[in-house]
Amino acid sequence: MKSTTAMNPSPDARPSRSATRVPGISLREQVEGMRAMRKNQVDYLARMIAVYGDVVRIRAFGVNMIVLNHPDHFERVLVRNHENYDKNTLLFRAVEPILRGGLIGAVGGEPWRRRRRIMQPAFHRPQVAGFAKNMTDETGLMVRRWEREYSEDDAIDVCNELGQLVLRIVFRTLFGAEVGEGGEEIESIFVEGNQIMGQFFQLPFPPLTWPTPRNRRLRQIIGIMDGYVDEVIRRRDEEGEEHHDLLTLLVDGVDEETGIGMTPVQLHREVLNTIIGGYETSSNAIAWLIYLVGTHPHVQERLQAEVDGVLGGRVPTFDDLQRLQYTRMVVDEMLRLYTPAFQTMRRSIEADEIGGYHIPRKSNIYLNIYALHRHPDFWPSPDAFDPERFSPEQVAQRPRHAFVPFGSGPRNCIGKHFALTELTLVLAMLAQAFRMEIPEEHREVQFEPLITLRPKGGIYARMRRR
Ligand code: HEM
């Protein structure tokens, strides 16, 4: 295997004269690569390290891209020289009509920074602690419904169920108890919009800006979502009651440096970005957790022993998280293996040097998170599911940027603590209530890498009461 783990320049280093050109691949390899990518994108992405090393230039979807696979390179782009990289890239431009300049796809610079400063406090630990009860309440409702509606032998299609669970949690967190009234309608509207987005990612043509019936419906859906936010705010202004939800935090949030908050238009965008950011990522993550736990009985036993020992049958709280250590290790190992946000992109503003290679200005950079999480230099037997990799001893031996399910640096996931709290609490409650089993005929699951890394055809599990 080629290795390019060369020195990492200091943040202010300019590209040196000795930097070499990023190796490209031949036309034949490109054609074969595109074919392999269509057939099994993530497998192709993972094999890249063995075939080409840690840095390679490819041409995909008509664009030149520099693919990075090494922790030091991720650190360079996302942290040490992050000012030099923005999101003015193919990936984010394609979905701009939906994200509308909101936090996820904002190009960068001062406009992004200002909004991040306004929103960040709403996602800090004490706020997330306050949202934890929404997570356990909604999970409790789902568990009881599963117990009522399914027999122990039923193979439940968990993806749909978990999509609903995660959406309920996000909506309740954003809009509080009011989500009950008209909530189901707005949930199904969002799901429809998300399906349209999924179709678009399968075949990103025609662009979302073209006035096709599908795109017009998407715009209508966005309009309905915006209208819903306005309506909740209007009702609250009329009632004059105090609310303790995420929407209130966002409405009241101000940039400490300027004292200015968000305009109603910005608020619409950020509410939708928050729902988009937290929906598919988390629901797929929980589905993968059920799959992995259900196919690894020894992990399940240890998980249940911890959950039973810490909780003794009661509903978990935010304060229990620090004692649910193994549960968290299972979550982390799932996030490594089936990392929901399996790719991201950046564009270099000026030239840079990464791992001894010259990165020209305005290069498209593909951050190959999926391959990074299976890089054989940092993950022995990379395809094996082994939560022990996240024991404090093993974590201390690895570079921090070998594992970046939530990105890194200033543009890391704003919902990271929210998501980790959610995943750990939901897993603990599922392990407490059920013995999870994946029927033999559903053990073979393939990936469907669209917006996130979905399980193709869903995940089917038997949930046996404990
Ligand atoms: C398992 C769950 C999740 C995963 C794996 C995940 C992953 C990520 C990653 C990798 C990024 C950085 C992308 C980049 O660098 O280009 C990101 C950004 C973001 N995520 Fe998440 N996310 C998750 C859950 C959430 C949740 C629950 C929310 C909101 C409640 C959220 C909202 C956002 C937003 C708004 C950004 C953009 C931040 C910025 O650029 O300032 N995510 N997420």
Side-chain angles (χ1 to χ4, degrees):
M1 188 181 66
K2 292 173 204 168
S3 180
T4 55
T5 55
M7 74 285 152
N8 208 350
S10 67
D12 52 350
R14 292 283 141 250
S16 65
R17 281 173 186 281
S18 60
T20 46
R21 196 174 139 79
V22 174
I25 62 177
S26 69
L27 193 62
R28 189 176 55 79
E29 284 174 310
Q30 270 175 35
V31 173
E32 280 170 8
M34 278 312 281
R35 217 175 283 141
M37 192 123 146
R38 282 216 184 88
K39 208 162 141 218
N40 190 338
Q41 183 184 347
V42 288
D43 181 54
Y44 176 69
L45 291 172
R47 276 190 294 116
M48 270 193 159
I49 299 176
V51 181
Y52 302 114
D54 290 328
V55 188
V56 63
R57 192 163 32 84
I58 62 165
R59 195 169 168 80
F61 311 108
V63 196
N64 287 324
M65 285 188 216
I66 296 177
V67 182
L68 299 180
N69 301 312
H70 192 278
D72 290 351
H73 306 159
F74 272 64
E75 189 177 7
R76 174 75 186 171
V77 172
L78 297 177
V79 185
R80 287 156 64 97
N81 201 17
H82 69 87
E83 293 282 2
N84 190 46
Y85 294 90
D86 65 22
K87 285 199 173 182
N88 188 359
T89 67
L90 188 74
L91 186 67
F92 294 107
R93 274 201 305 266
V95 285
E96 172 56 24
I98 315 298
L99 302 176
R100 298 177 292 171
L103 222 48
I104 297 177
V107 169
E110 202 39 40
W112 161 79
R113 200 166 302 128
R114 211 175 307 125
R115 233 155 334 118
R116 176 93 188 203
R117 275 199 305 258
I118 297 174
M119 290 179 68
Q120 187 69 63
F123 291 89
H124 280 161
R125 213 179 123 86
Q127 277 65 37
V128 173
F131 301 144
K133 194 165 174 304
N134 295 335
M135 303 171 187
T136 52
D137 280 356
E138 288 295 338
T139 310
L141 288 172
M142 184 188 74
V143 165
R144 285 192 288 280
R145 194 166 49 73
W146 283 8
E147 286 171 346
R148 252 193 342 264
E149 290 181 7
Y150 295 108
S151 88
E152 295 207 81
D153 291 326
D154 284 338
I156 307 178
D157 173 3
V158 295
C159 291
N160 284 340
E161 295 275 354
L162 296 171
Q164 201 183 67
L165 169 70
V166 164
L167 209 51
R168 293 254 150 101
I169 293 173
V170 173
F171 271 67
R172 198 162 152 174
T173 301
L174 268 164
F175 306 119
E178 284 141 87
V179 81
E181 308 148 28
E184 273 174 28
E185 196 188 325
I186 202 75
E187 266 176 31
S188 71
I189 288 278
F190 176 81
V191 171
E192 187 191 340
N194 196 65
Q195 276 160 356
I196 297 179
M197 287 297 293
Q199 287 161 9
F200 173 72
F201 267 79
Q202 250 157 2
L203 182 69
F205 192 85
L208 294 171
T209 43
W210 290 19
T212 60
R214 188 180 76 179
N215 290 347
R216 274 205 296 270
R217 176 64 184 149
L218 198 56
R219 277 175 192 267
Q220 204 180 14
I221 288 171
I222 294 172
I224 296 172
M225 302 281 308
D226 291 350
Y228 181 78
V229 174
D230 284 341
E231 179 58 24
V232 174
I233 296 174
R234 192 192 55 76
R235 236 184 298 142
R236 287 180 180 190
D237 285 347
E238 270 174 23
E239 288 162 6
E241 273 175 43
E242 241 186 81
H243 290 267
H244 301 280
D245 48 35
L246 185 54
L247 184 66
T248 308
L249 292 172
L250 297 179
V251 170
D252 293 346
V254 289
D255 176 356
E256 284 196 348
E257 285 185 20
T258 61
I260 298 172
M262 276 193 272
T263 63
V265 172
Q266 285 173 338
L267 189 73
H268 291 156
R269 294 171 181 170
E270 297 308 350
V271 166
L272 197 56
N273 271 252
T274 303
I275 303 172
I276 292 173
Y279 172 59
E280 264 210 34
T281 45
S282 300
S283 58
N284 284 328
I286 304 170
W288 287 121
L289 279 170
I290 293 178
Y291 175 75
L292 287 166
V293 170
T295 46
H296 294 82
H298 59 287
V299 170
Q300 178 149 213
E301 268 166 38
R302 200 168 148 196
L303 178 67
Q304 279 165 344
E306 176 176 272
V307 167
D308 294 349
V310 171
L311 303 176
R314 66 177 169 77
V315 175
T317 64
F318 185 81
D319 292 335
D320 291 317
L321 290 175
Q322 52 185 331
R323 288 189 296 148
L324 291 170
Q325 277 169 10
Y326 187 71
T327 314
R328 174 59 195 274
M329 283 159 63
V330 174
V331 168
D332 280 343
E333 175 65 345
M334 174 279 300
L335 287 171
R336 177 189 73 84
L337 212 47
Y338 299 151
T339 193
F342 66 102
Q343 59 181 359
T344 188
M345 282 187 74
R346 292 292 189 274
R347 187 195 60 150
S348 59
I349 298 170
E350 295 298 335
D352 193 11
E353 185 179 322
I354 297 184
Y357 288 106
H358 176 70
I359 307 293
R361 65 192 288 262
K362 296 206 168 116
S363 298
N364 289 301
I365 309 288
Y366 183 92
L367 293 165
N368 195 358
I369 304 180
Y370 183 86
L372 176 83
H373 284 181
R374 292 169 189 243
H375 197 304
D377 290 358
F378 308 99
W379 307 103
S381 310
D383 295 335
F385 173 64
D386 176 15
E388 277 309 311
R389 299 181 203 269
F390 288 92
S391 66
E393 302 73 41
Q394 290 203 33
V395 170
Q397 282 166 19
R398 265 190 315 265
R400 205 166 83 74
H401 285 84
F403 180 60
V404 291
F406 297 100
S408 186
R411 291 212 71 163
N412 73 349
C413 176
I414 202 169
K416 175 180 168 177
H417 297 302
F418 186 96
L420 285 170
T421 302
E422 179 179 50
L423 299 183
T424 313
L425 290 176
V426 174
L427 178 61
M429 287 181 77
L430 290 176
Q432 192 176 40
F434 303 109
R435 187 158 47 79
M436 297 164 240
E437 255 179 41
I438 308 298
E440 207 51 50
E441 64 276 21
H442 293 296
R443 287 184 165 228
E444 198 68 46
V445 179
Q446 284 174 357
F447 292 129
E448 191 171 27
L450 296 174
I451 311 170
T452 57
L453 199 60
R454 287 190 205 172
K456 198 172 190 169
I459 282 177
Y460 289 81
R462 287 204 185 99
M463 307 299 275
R464 307 226 183 251
R465 326 255 188 288
R466 290 187 60 211

